[in-house]
Amino acid sequence: MARILVTGGAGFLGSHFCEHLLARGDEVVALDNFATSDGSNIEALRDNSRFTFVEADVVEELPVRGPLDVVAHLASPASPPEYLKLPLETLRVGSTGTERCLELCRRAGARFLLASTSEVYGDPQVHPQAEAYWGNVNPIGVRSVYDEAKRYAEALTMAYSRIGLVDVGIVRIFNTYGPRLRPGDGRVVSNFLVQALTGEPLTIYGTGLQTRSFCFVDDLVRGLCAMADVRGVTGPVNLGNPIEVTIEDLAGRVQRVTGSTSGVVRLPGPTDDPARRRPDITMARRLLEWEPLVDLDDGLRRSAEWFAGQLGRSGLVPMREKP
Ligand code: NAD
Ligand code: UDP
């Protein structure tokens, strides 16, 4: 049994990660300031005697006492519309927030797990993306508040590792979806599912020919656990599903899974929207013996069920009136 601090523990990935750690017998401290979440994701965990929640901003002092085996730094706005609304907070949580976590690890002798992102590859000119690729990021573009914060976080983490201060592991997470994505967070899977389930047309930005590779949350969390557990493996290691789809294809799948007949509407594409993204997961397979198992349609079906429940309905029959 380990004692693990999860920053961003009330968020989408953080809450699933906490739940998984508790289920295997670990003790979990979740820390969050609810910048892009509320308490709902962790409500069911609060009764567990091995779970503690601390409401705090990771950029400020970390009010966490007692021994720690691992600090997993997941705190950060992650959805593009959200980090674009919180530019300075996003830069700070990646920079100062990461440093605070690393310092805590140094004092506690804990392993540090950094939740980095496929966004460090920017709009990639190498495809698929392996960890050795340095990326193509616009350092002054709108998305840079997120991309560069994560790149700095990786640089800082590697510096602590090289000096020998902290045992670290970096994972670069590719697009992940599933139950507990916030219906209003603006990411493509949450938008499409809410639109399909409420009888709205699905909003395709740009040509719809841009690609992403979507990983179901349960798969991703297994990868996070594996990386938390293996002291000495620094990475970075890509975690994501290598099955690549266009956004148009994703819209079709969401329509089929939900039975939606509301069609699509075309809107202008966001600035600096990466054209293609697909992880090379050779490293994860080799070092973590990890690969995703959940098929995209299956994962979308499971997500749709959860979203339907959120919208106050039991089935997947599309609703005509708004929730
Ligand atoms: P999320 O927005 O659901 O969760 C992030 C959590 O961090 C939220 O609960 C938020 O309130 C919290 N937070 C933000 N700033 C904070 C601060 N200063 N102090 C304390 N808590 C703070 O996002 P998510 O999808 O769960 O992402 C979790 C992590 O994984 C992020 O670091 C993100 O960059 C990374 N990631 C996610 C994806 C994905 O597809 N979900 C892809 C790549 C990387
Ligand atoms: N997207 C879309 N419609 C939406 C939301 C997003 O077409 O309602 C597109 C977006 O332009 C991008 C892709 O879907 O090309 C993934 O967007 P998301 O914000 O989920 O994640 P990103 O990978 O861009 O961080």
Side-chain angles (χ1 to χ4, degrees):
M1 180 181 127
R3 187 163 187 260
I4 302 185
L5 169 64
V6 181
T7 76
F12 163 56
L13 288 183
S15 63
H16 281 279
F17 187 38
C18 290
E19 192 178 316
H20 194 95
L21 294 169
L22 289 167
R24 70 178 202 176
D26 291 331
E27 192 178 330
V28 176
V29 181
L31 181 146
D32 208 294
N33 69 349
F34 300 129
T36 56
S37 61
D38 54 33
S40 55
N41 287 340
I42 50 166
E43 229 165 72
L45 306 183
R46 287 189 189 253
D47 291 339
N48 190 315
S49 59
R50 284 180 283 106
F51 180 75
T52 312
F53 179 72
V54 178
E55 183 171 350
D57 184 335
V58 72
V59 170
E60 308 298 329
E61 206 183 337
L62 288 176
V64 180
R65 318 257 168 273
L68 286 168
D69 300 293
V70 177
V71 174
H73 185 33
L74 273 67
S76 172
S79 162
E82 291 186 335
Y83 65 67
L84 294 175
K85 264 186 243 144
L86 298 167
L88 299 182
E89 291 85 346
T90 302
L91 283 160
R92 282 191 203 114
V93 77
S95 53
T96 311
T98 301
E99 188 166 358
R100 292 227 182 271
C101 291
L102 282 161
E103 279 300 309
L104 181 61
C105 286
R106 189 172 63 81
R107 291 195 298 275
R111 175 165 166 81
F112 178 62
L113 174 63
L114 176 67
S116 186
T117 169
S118 53
E119 286 277 330
V120 300
Y121 301 121
D123 189 6
Q125 291 173 331
V126 169
H127 194 78
Q129 294 79 54
E131 293 84 349
Y133 177 48
W134 291 359
N136 177 39
V137 169
N138 175 357
I140 55 164
V142 285
R143 291 173 88 103
S144 66
V145 295
Y146 183 69
D147 303 3
E148 296 291 11
K150 293 286 187 181
R151 287 170 71 98
Y152 175 83
E154 288 198 9
L156 190 67
T157 301
M158 290 308 296
Y160 269 74
S161 167
R162 277 194 200 98
I163 300 167
L165 294 179
V166 176
D167 175 56
V168 309
I170 300 172
V171 287
R172 291 181 176 157
I173 303 169
F174 284 64
N175 297 63
T176 303
Y177 70 99
R180 299 195 202 137
L181 263 179
R182 237 167 15 91
D185 79 359
R187 290 185 251 200
V188 68
V189 174
S190 34
N191 272 4
F192 281 3
L193 283 170
V194 171
Q195 289 157 351
L197 291 166
T198 57
E200 295 287 328
L202 276 53
T203 50
I204 294 184
Y205 302 162
T207 61
L209 298 179
Q210 70 270 38
T211 68
R212 295 293 187 271
S213 306
F214 295 95
C215 186
F216 190 65
V217 65
D218 292 2
D219 280 335
L220 200 283
V221 161
R222 271 192 302 108
L224 287 181
C225 286
M227 193 60 164
D229 289 345
V230 283
R231 280 200 168 242
V233 174
T234 303
V237 176
N238 288 338
L239 291 181
N241 192 319
I243 307 294
E244 181 183 5
V245 296
T246 64
I247 295 305
E248 222 165 53
D249 178 355
L250 179 74
R253 287 169 189 262
V254 168
Q255 287 170 328
R256 279 194 295 282
V257 158
T258 56
S260 161
T261 53
S262 51
V264 301
V265 59
R266 310 249 165 199
L267 297 173
T271 309
D272 293 345
D273 197 14
R276 302 181 75 186
R277 185 182 290 157
R278 174 182 163 202
D280 177 330
I281 61 164
T282 309
M283 194 97 95
R285 283 194 171 109
R286 187 163 52 81
L287 296 176
L288 307 178
E289 295 177 358
W290 176 88
E291 65 181 358
L293 302 173
V294 179
D295 162 76
L296 181 53
D297 287 343
D298 197 26
L300 288 174
R301 213 167 287 120
R302 286 155 73 175
S303 308
E305 277 164 19
W306 182 84
F307 273 80
Q310 293 298 298
L311 300 173
R313 283 164 298 135
S314 50
L316 296 180
V317 185
M319 212 175 65
R320 290 293 161 230
E321 71 268 18
K322 292 244 181 187

